[in-house]
Amino acid sequence: MKYAEINARIPFLLSLAALEDKAHYRINQLSGEIRRRLSIARALINRPELLILDEPATGLDP
């Protein structure tokens, strides 16, 4: 993906994962749950046609 395309997609994915307020944090500053939500958002950055997740909700609040 082109850099501009990635940057255009980031705000949407942060919103989808409810991480807008964490956008400028370093990963080691985030809790385990927030890291998992970030991982899901990262998996969606390139708009995959199929995404297989193994227990994606483990460790996430409902």
Side-chain angles (χ1 to χ4, degrees), residues 8-46:
R9 193 114 163 92
I10 289 172
F12 168 74
L13 292 170
L14 288 174
S15 173
L16 182 71
L19 296 173
E20 300 98 328
D21 59 330
K22 306 289 186 201
H24 299 290
Y25 282 66
R26 294 189 175 270
I27 291 177
N28 62 354
Q29 295 175 307
L30 302 174
S31 70
E33 177 193 356
I34 293 174
R35 287 181 191 188
R36 282 182 276 288
R37 285 194 275 156
L38 179 60
S39 294
I40 293 170
R42 287 177 62 193
L44 297 171
I45 193 97
N46 63 343

